Amino acid sequence: MESPKTTRPTSTTTSARCATCCASSATTRASALSTDADPLAPHALAASELQALLAAERAGEPFLAFKDADGRLGLFRPSGQTLTVGRRPETDLPIAWDSEVSGLHAELQGIAGEWTIVDDGLSTNGTFVNGRRVAGRLRLRDGDRVRVGRTILAYRAGRAVTVEATAAAGEPGAAQPLTATQRKVLIVLCRPYRDGGTFTSPPTNQQIADELFLSVEAVKMHLRTLFGKFELADLPQNEKRTRLAECVLQFGAISRHELG
């Protein structure tokens, strides 16, 4: 498959390179993409695609990975300041195969060595990062999953210098130390949210206990402590676990890399 760049007129943004990595010619892929079709899912890549992915990671530059209309891996390397994403062929990252993507769906903006995704009403169906709808501009972090229409764009930051999230005054749990066991409990609790699934449910106490070889009572004790640390103790019982996972990931108490 030829890079979309080769069909686009020269402009100030054409330095962004979009390359689609072809799999074995004998392999037929399904063209339908579901909302959880992660382009970097384990064991989902052909050998040639894996080689291209490793080469992109070794280059150390930020990129977005996605599956094209034929289910093949595509890699988009943003450069410049403002790039467009949409179904129109004139956009810098055209997603022409996805009918749920707007003609001009969103923008990628490069600021001080980092990339943000912008959707301030451009799209009809919205832009989502890790399952949350973008309202305005949102900074992308390594491992984030951006969903436009039915297409998932996996963001890799390369060797860009990153800084930890700024802790707002009084931010719950931001400066709270965690014990080794509490970290393990949180990793198991947050793992289903790693790829930003919209309808994800947290694991049960029994599931956490089974994975960590703890008793259910021990898991409950650790969760009660964690609810207190993140100031969630007053929430309804059926909301605490989901909100805890959201807070942990939002405040960076557990990194996505730790989720495996």
Side-chain angles (χ1 to χ4, degrees):
M1 175 177 174
E2 292 185 349
S3 165
K5 175 185 172 183
T6 60
T7 61
R8 190 178 298 117
T10 302
S11 70
T12 58
T13 58
T14 54
S15 57
R17 295 165 289 167
C18 185
T20 301
C21 311
C22 295
S24 171
S25 59
T27 304
T28 301
R29 311 277 186 121
S31 61
L33 295 176
S34 63
T35 55
D36 60 351
D38 192 326
L40 302 184
H43 313 299
L45 301 178
S48 60
E49 294 176 325
L50 183 58
Q51 289 176 356
L53 176 63
L54 293 175
E57 292 179 339
R58 284 195 294 267
E61 298 296 329
F63 67 89
L64 290 162
F66 58 93
K67 292 287 188 175
D68 67 11
D70 298 316
R72 295 178 296 188
L73 179 69
L75 300 175
F76 179 77
R77 300 172 179 85
S79 63
Q81 292 184 328
T82 300
L83 306 173
T84 52
V85 181
R87 195 152 39 90
R88 291 181 179 274
E90 298 88 352
T91 58
D92 298 291
L93 176 51
I95 307 177
W97 62 87
D98 191 335
S99 61
E100 294 182 17
V101 172
S102 296
L104 178 58
H105 194 101
E107 292 181 335
L108 290 165
Q109 292 185 354
I111 305 172
E114 299 195 43
W115 284 93
T116 64
I117 186 79
V118 182
D119 187 345
D120 53 4
L122 284 174
S123 70
T124 299
N125 293 321
T127 300
F128 299 81
V129 175
N130 303 327
R132 290 192 171 191
R133 185 162 185 160
V134 175
R137 181 168 63 189
L138 184 67
R139 181 187 305 175
L140 294 178
R141 300 188 181 277
D142 187 55
D144 279 351
R145 266 45 176 185
V146 181
R147 180 168 66 81
V148 292
R150 292 175 293 113
T151 302
I152 292 179
L153 310 171
Y155 177 71
R156 299 307 303 267
R159 299 195 189 100
V161 177
T162 58
V163 295
E164 294 184 1
T166 303
E171 190 172 82
Q176 294 285 356
L178 299 172
T179 68
T181 303
Q182 287 171 353
R183 292 187 69 83
K184 292 178 181 178
V185 170
L186 288 176
I187 287 171
V188 177
L189 178 72
C190 295
R191 189 174 293 132
Y193 298 86
R194 174 184 56 193
D195 299 329
T198 306
F199 303 104
T200 303
S201 298
T204 65
N205 290 338
Q206 185 66 62
Q207 289 171 325
I208 297 174
D210 290 344
E211 182 164 342
L212 299 179
F213 300 101
L214 297 173
S215 68
V216 172
E217 288 304 315
V219 171
K220 290 181 178 178
M221 178 192 70
H222 288 300
L223 286 175
R224 281 196 297 269
T225 302
L226 290 165
F227 292 148
K229 283 188 174 185
F230 286 85
E231 300 180 11
L232 303 173
D234 294 333
L235 286 180
Q237 194 65 33
N238 62 343
E239 296 180 13
K240 288 182 180 179
R241 300 152 70 82
T242 298
R243 185 59 186 143
L244 176 60
E246 292 174 348
C247 287
V248 167
L249 294 176
Q250 179 182 352
F251 301 146
I254 298 294
S255 71
R256 295 187 183 277
H257 290 301
E258 295 180 86
L259 303 182

